[in-house]
Amino acid sequence: MRESDTILEIKELSVSIKMDEGILKPVRGINVSVAKGETLGLVGESGCGKSLTSKAILGINDRKCKSEGSILYYSQENKETDLLSLKPAGKEIRGIRGKEISMIFQEPMIAFSPMYTIGDQINECTRLHIVKDKIKSKKISLEMMKKVGIADPEKRYDQYPHEFSGGMLQRALIAMALVCNPRLLIADEPTTALDVTIQAQILELMKELQKDMGMAIIFITHDLGTVAQLCDRVAVMYLGRIVETATVREIFENPRHPYTKGLIGSVHKIGGPKRERLYSIEGTVPPAMNLPERCGFYDRCSKRIKGVCDLKEPSLMPQGGDHQAACFALGIPDTIPGEEQEVQ
């Protein structure tokens, strides 16, 4: 049942790609929701399906990608729309994309066209969704450029992407995403290409803008430090599925899934022993094709149970409150990595 403040609800979302070798299934049965003013962190290794999930919301995945399930969007007037049922290039989804749901892409260096000025590209969104008048739309665009911390926006407005530094280009990308005051912002690893100082500035900027505009954020990352700083709730993805979800405090204080524990254990803790060896998750993520009927984390798990974990894929199970984890071995003490336990 939908909560009153939920603005997006993803139900059993799957994305498949037909290839010569078989059917690739990078996203398999995702269930997650986002509430007004909330920041949801989508966490996992590269290739686990985070970006494909976010692009499916806006209908901008490659044509080879076949999406199934439902993505329910609830408008300001509480109108329910299944985004997957809309034509990717249709009028209805284009009225939502960029206006009510916007996205900051992963690489600012390639997100902008080198043929047009920064101002023209930001102004395209303004004129499409807010006002047609060139003078009024330019004024709105300049105000947003100033709001995201771009110095001398009147001069920068007429410059091209190659004239911007990485940090300024990221700010311009945020300005383009927020100029229409969206209700939901999808941020796909927006600080990956930036140095630590600029990362901190961008994250602080996003928090301030979220507070001012009251928007919800889906923040896609593999950086747990960023998650702790920015997010309210976390969904951990592995091999196309969500394996654990909880509040950010609960995830860090009481991780339940072995994969989540491995991710947290691989991050150096400030104040910890200087020579402490960081935990490493053995093995690699298997390709999401022709997967056997078993837990996707089986080959890399130190708690796997032979005769249980290799026979069926676990579903998310309650762990108290809003905490859920998908693991048959919960409650079993950690063992030596790679050592299988026999079911009694």
Side-chain angles (χ1 to χ4, degrees), residues 13-15 25-30 238-241 288 291 296 313:
L13 174 65
S14 295
V15 178
K25 296 181 178 179
V27 178
R28 305 178 296 125
I30 295 294
Y238 183 79
L239 199 58
R241 291 177 65 87
L291 293 170
E313 192 159 31

Side-chain angles (χ1 to χ4, degrees), residues 53-306:
T53 298
S54 64
K55 289 179 180 178
I57 296 172
L58 293 175
I60 56 174
N61 272 327
D62 191 274
R63 291 182 180 180
K64 294 180 180 179
C65 298
K66 180 182 178 182
S67 299
E68 297 178 304
S70 62
I71 302 176
L72 304 178
Y73 170 66
Y74 301 95
S75 68
Q76 192 77 47
E77 297 76 29
N78 209 31
K79 177 188 174 184
E80 179 185 295
T81 303
D82 186 354
L83 301 180
L84 281 188
S85 68
L86 305 180
K87 294 181 179 179
K91 184 178 179 181
E92 193 171 356
I93 187 65
R94 292 182 72 183
I96 296 173
R97 185 193 299 146
K99 181 182 179 182
E100 299 187 41
I101 304 176
S102 194
M103 186 168 183
I104 302 172
F105 293 94
Q106 189 168 350
E107 292 291 346
M109 300 296 180
I110 61 175
F112 286 101
S113 169
M115 304 297 292
Y116 299 93
T117 66
I118 291 292
D120 282 341
Q121 295 182 67
I122 296 175
N123 210 30
E124 183 181 4
C125 300
T126 315
R127 294 186 67 191
L128 181 64
H129 295 298
I130 301 178
V131 60
K132 300 291 185 183
D133 185 271
K134 290 184 178 180
I135 296 175
K136 291 181 179 178
S137 63
K138 181 177 180 178
K139 183 179 178 181
I140 294 171
S141 299
L142 286 170
E143 286 175 354
M144 181 52 69
M145 289 175 71
K146 185 177 180 180
K147 198 169 186 177
V148 299
I150 296 177
D152 197 0
E154 289 80 7
K155 177 183 176 182
R156 292 290 194 177
Y157 185 91
D158 294 318
Q159 290 183 333
Y160 289 85
H162 72 270
E163 298 178 87
F164 277 55
S165 66
M168 283 295 105
L169 209 54
Q170 189 67 69
R171 289 174 185 270
L173 197 57
I174 293 174
M176 187 164 67
L178 298 184
V179 72
C180 295
N181 194 10
R183 299 181 67 228
L184 173 63
L185 174 68
I186 303 170
D188 188 359
E189 303 201 32
T191 60
T192 299
L194 305 177
D195 60 62
V196 177
T197 304
I198 301 299
Q199 278 188 29
Q201 293 176 4
I202 295 296
L203 292 177
E204 192 60 36
L205 171 65
M206 290 181 65
K207 287 167 69 176
E208 290 176 6
L209 293 173
Q210 181 184 32
K211 186 177 180 181
D212 292 343
M213 302 168 72
M215 65 183 174
I217 298 176
I218 297 178
F219 195 89
I220 300 168
T221 185
H222 58 265
D223 184 349
L224 289 174
T226 302
V227 168
Q229 182 179 349
L230 191 68
C231 299
D232 302 306
R233 199 158 50 89
V234 184
V236 181
M237 286 189 69
Y238 183 79
L239 199 58
R241 291 177 65 87
I242 291 178
V243 296
E244 186 164 8
T245 179
T247 63
V248 67
R249 179 178 290 275
E250 181 71 12
I251 282 287
F252 280 93
E253 291 184 353
N254 185 32
R256 301 289 287 148
H257 197 281
Y259 179 62
T260 309
K261 291 181 178 180
L263 289 178
I264 294 174
S266 64
V267 178
H268 181 71
K269 298 170 182 61
I270 296 176
K274 291 183 178 180
R275 297 187 179 182
E276 180 184 18
R277 191 179 183 87
L278 295 180
Y279 180 76
S280 175
I281 302 174
E282 300 293 332
T284 58
V285 182
M289 183 184 292
N290 304 321
L291 293 170
E293 188 64 30
R294 67 181 188 186
C295 175
F297 194 57
Y298 183 82
D299 289 332
R300 307 176 71 188
C301 185
S302 62
K303 299 172 68 174
R304 59 181 180 255
I305 307 172
K306 190 175 181 180

